[in-house]
Amino acid sequence: MRIVVCVKQTVSGEINPFDACAYEAALQIPNAEVTLLSMGPEKSKEFLLNLTRLGAKEAYLLCDRAFAGADTLATSYALSLAIKRLEPDLVICGRQTIDGDTGQTGPSVSVQAGLSLITNVMKIVCTDGKITCQTRTMGEQMAAYPALITVERINHLRLPNIRSKCTEVIVWNADDIGADEERCGLKGSPTKVMASFQNEDGKRKCKFVDASMLDTIIEEGLRKEKDRISPRKYDGAKLKKVWIVGDKCLEMAETISDDIRVFNRSEAETQAYDFAKEFVKRVREEEPSAILWDSDAWSKQMAPRVAALLQTGLCADCTALETDGENLYMYRPAFSGNIIAKIGCITRPQMATIRTATEGIADVICAMGKGAKGAKELVESYVDRKNAQNGPHWETACSRLAVDSEMFPYEKQVGMTGKTVSPAVYIAVGISGAVHHIAGMKQSGTVIAINLDKKAPIFDYADYGIVARAEEVFGC
Ligand SMILES: Cc1cc2nc3c(=O)[nH]c(=O)nc-3n(C[C@H](O)[C@H](O)[C@H](O)COP(=O)(O)OP(=O)(O)OC[C@H]3O[C@@H](n4cnc5c(N)ncnc54)[C@H](O)[C@@H]3O)c2cc1C
């Protein structure tokens, strides 16, 4: 089987973590002939060459001035042309890059290269005629070859064998892949970053309390209305004809338009590809000025495909919108949430996925980090006792280091490379509060942090702090 793995070098020079999982997944498929594909500057050649030591037959680097400054549509255009030339049976991409963080490239490539698509893959079984995958939130899915799948953080990339050798990196320019330069790089990118701001989002004023107050502050948190992202109030001119797919982003849509049409997506979810084609036909007929989508797994694979079919820009994970009556200005976190970027779009319709916290259904989440290792059973029995009272629904979750130290399976990981949750109350036990973790929980209602180190960053993102050992808090 011929497999192409799309990999990106991050700003720090490493392989994007999700792409590392994609590469490892490809290497584990029996009789696979693996080719690496990347787009980047000349210096990425060495990065690719080193990666070939792990088992890839060869690597291709798309490198041309014309490719510089590409957004996801222009990037996936170039990648899809290279993929068409390579003619693989299967393309494996990571779920998202950690710097761009949009998750759009895989679905967009699938449309532009004519491949079937499965996203958020946890397990892969390749048989003769088809690929069957276990996905993170959409159950088991099957696709015919040629297919493209995007994988979650499902494995660890192997280390090179001491005797393994590098193979070859072939550099292709825009001509080599027959690219139209008008559709490449900055020229071919409908979305433009207009400004960026420091993001203080998620920071809270922490009140330190005694451990004996825990039950009281949880009850208070449950009584308060969930502190979700409140859309920016906007009183200026409004956009005409705004469509929304699903109704979770209605509140956000109302900030920029009084002319909103809601598309019910329940039928569409069982016939994904037909929906894209049918929807695109209606968009061409009725020409809405903007289309907003939720940001759950279904929307995140559907919206980029619709954008690719319409050849329009798509801004991912927006937390606020503005308009001057003509143009939509979309605000989104970038670089792990430290920066907020203001994005404009020069094509129509203007499209955005809106950050809606959809994965957390629990009222209270008790998340454990590496520091809760010794208290894990105590915390779990505390959660069991709460659930036995038949009141609010409690769940456990964890940080990435808790997954790495095998305290919990990956499905429980909250954060940038895990899931996003927004319970009424989030209790972080023995979690330091790295930005990567905060990215997945900052939309929670009341945040309570329990940590023995008063200087731990988690307290900057908590409403209440308890400085204590987890064993003591839950042991009594
Ligand atoms: C690209 C990338 C993506 C990432 N994605 C994620 C992600 O999705 N989710 C995520 O969580 N992380 C993610 N990380 C990792 C993240 O940067 C942190 O390393 C991780 O969140 C730290 O986990 P932790 O807080 O459990 O462990 P640590 O940072 O080791 O913190 C443990 C904390 O427990 C406290 N502690 C120790 N003992 C006790 C005790 N007995 N009682 C109470 N407190 C105690 C310590 O004071 C410390 O603050 C990512 C990193 C990278 C580079």
Side-chain angles (χ1 to χ4, degrees):
M1 173 182 295
R2 288 151 59 90
I3 304 179
V4 166
V5 180
C6 296
V7 292
K8 184 178 175 188
Q9 186 177 23
T10 63
V11 277
S12 57
E14 310 287 310
I15 180 172
N16 175 52
F18 286 101
D19 301 347
C21 299
Y23 188 16
E24 179 60 35
L27 293 171
Q28 286 179 15
I29 293 174
N31 304 319
E33 190 179 274
V34 180
T35 298
L36 295 170
L37 175 63
S38 186
M39 187 170 103
E42 184 77 35
K43 67 174 168 44
S44 295
K45 201 173 162 184
E46 204 186 323
F47 153 76
L48 278 178
L49 194 65
N50 284 332
L51 283 178
T52 60
R53 284 186 66 200
L54 303 181
K57 190 183 122 239
E58 59 194 358
Y60 288 82
L61 175 65
L62 305 184
C63 182
D64 195 308
R65 275 201 180 161
F67 297 144
D71 70 359
T72 49
L73 189 67
T75 302
S76 49
Y77 168 65
L79 290 174
S80 64
L81 290 176
I83 286 166
K84 281 192 207 160
R85 238 192 108 171
L86 293 167
E87 292 186 345
D89 304 296
L90 181 64
V91 178
I92 311 185
C93 302
R95 180 183 94 182
Q96 65 184 65
T97 58
I98 53 153
D99 41 6
D101 190 18
T102 68
Q104 293 172 3
T105 306
S108 185
V109 167
S110 78
V111 166
Q112 301 194 67
L115 310 168
S116 47
L117 173 72
I118 306 178
T119 57
N120 303 89
V121 167
M122 300 292 297
K123 267 193 198 135
I124 306 164
V125 179
C126 291
T127 46
D128 269 354
K130 62 178 189 308
I131 177 166
T132 308
C133 299
Q134 203 50 251
T135 66
R136 188 150 72 90
T137 52
M138 294 183 286
E140 189 178 273
Q141 304 225 341
M142 269 180 259
Y145 301 120
L148 182 149
I149 61 171
T150 71
V151 298
E152 296 280 346
R153 215 174 60 88
I154 50 177
N155 53 37
H156 293 283
L157 182 57
R158 63 194 63 190
L159 293 169
N161 183 296
I162 199 151
R163 280 185 291 276
S164 60
K165 293 207 169 62
C166 298
T167 57
E168 196 188 359
V169 180
I170 299 152
V171 180
W172 277 349
N173 63 23
D175 282 345
D176 292 325
I177 54 170
D180 171 358
E181 292 201 5
E182 293 301 312
R183 291 180 63 189
C184 294
L186 201 58
K187 265 194 208 165
S189 298
T191 57
K192 311 277 175 209
V193 178
M194 308 180 74
S196 57
F197 317 90
Q198 199 65 30
N199 182 19
E200 290 293 309
D201 185 25
K203 290 220 167 169
R204 302 170 187 226
K205 201 166 166 25
C206 183
K207 185 175 169 192
F208 287 95
V209 297
D210 188 80
S212 61
M213 292 287 288
L214 182 60
D215 282 339
T216 315
I217 53 182
I218 292 168
E219 272 161 35
E220 193 183 303
L222 283 167
R223 272 198 306 273
K224 275 192 209 157
E225 236 202 313
K226 290 184 192 174
D227 182 16
R228 297 184 180 277
I229 333 160
S230 46
R232 217 167 264 222
K233 290 262 178 297
Y234 183 72
D235 300 323
K238 296 216 168 169
L239 279 178
K240 291 208 179 84
K241 256 200 196 179
V242 171
W243 289 7
I244 65 171
V245 185
D247 55 9
K248 294 200 182 69
C249 52
L250 180 61
E251 199 185 355
M252 189 75 94
E254 282 169 346
T255 64
I256 45 129
S257 181
D258 299 323
D259 178 5
I260 298 166
R261 180 147 145 210
V262 184
F263 281 79
N264 186 331
R265 42 176 262 194
S266 50
E267 272 175 43
E269 287 186 41
T270 50
Q271 307 167 359
Y273 196 71
D274 289 345
F275 176 84
K277 272 199 195 153
E278 200 51 42
F279 188 70
V280 164
K281 205 168 129 228
R282 292 178 81 164
V283 172
R284 289 203 174 111
E285 281 162 12
E286 300 184 43
E287 299 183 344
S289 57
I291 305 171
L292 308 180
W293 305 74
D294 295 343
S295 59
D296 61 326
W298 182 85
S299 308
K300 280 193 160 182
Q301 54 90 16
M302 183 58 73
R305 290 160 65 194
V306 168
L309 288 168
L310 291 166
Q311 288 291 300
T312 195
L314 171 66
C315 183
D317 280 331
C318 297
T319 54
L321 301 173
E322 277 178 9
T323 179
D324 54 14
E326 274 299 314
N327 301 297
L328 179 64
Y329 301 111
M330 300 160 275
Y331 292 82
R332 73 171 302 254
F335 296 105
S336 310
N338 289 335
I339 301 276
I340 287 278
K342 180 180 180 182
I343 314 273
C345 179
I346 54 171
T347 49
R348 294 293 184 271
Q350 306 161 90
M351 299 219 310
T353 59
I354 303 300
R355 189 168 278 194
T356 47
T358 47
E359 292 188 75
I361 48 156
D363 301 303
V364 184
I365 288 182
C366 202
M368 286 168 260
K370 204 174 149 208
K373 195 161 192 167
K376 181 173 179 260
E377 281 170 19
L378 290 170
V379 176
E380 282 175 337
S381 64
Y382 176 78
V383 168
D384 287 345
R385 284 199 303 278
K386 293 288 183 187
N387 274 331
Q389 290 167 5
N390 288 327
H393 175 56
W394 284 59
E395 270 176 22
T396 54
C398 71
S399 72
R400 171 154 155 191
L401 286 194
V403 176
D404 290 349
S405 54
E406 296 183 351
M407 283 166 67
F408 290 99
Y410 169 61
E411 284 82 354
K412 293 238 174 223
Q413 182 186 314
V414 168
M416 203 173 96
T417 50
K419 56 184 177 178
T420 303
V421 295
S422 65
V425 180
Y426 187 86
I427 310 172
V429 188
I431 292 179
S432 57
V435 283
H436 309 101
H437 185 81
I438 302 300
M441 49 63 76
K442 66 184 177 196
Q443 296 169 34
S444 304
T446 297
V447 175
I448 301 169
I450 300 170
N451 196 304
L452 52 73
D453 176 8
K454 195 173 180 181
K455 293 204 179 98
I458 190 72
F459 291 122
D460 292 336
Y461 300 92
D463 301 286
Y464 293 101
I466 296 174
V467 181
R469 285 168 55 82
E471 293 83 342
E472 285 156 20
V473 176
F474 295 95
C476 48

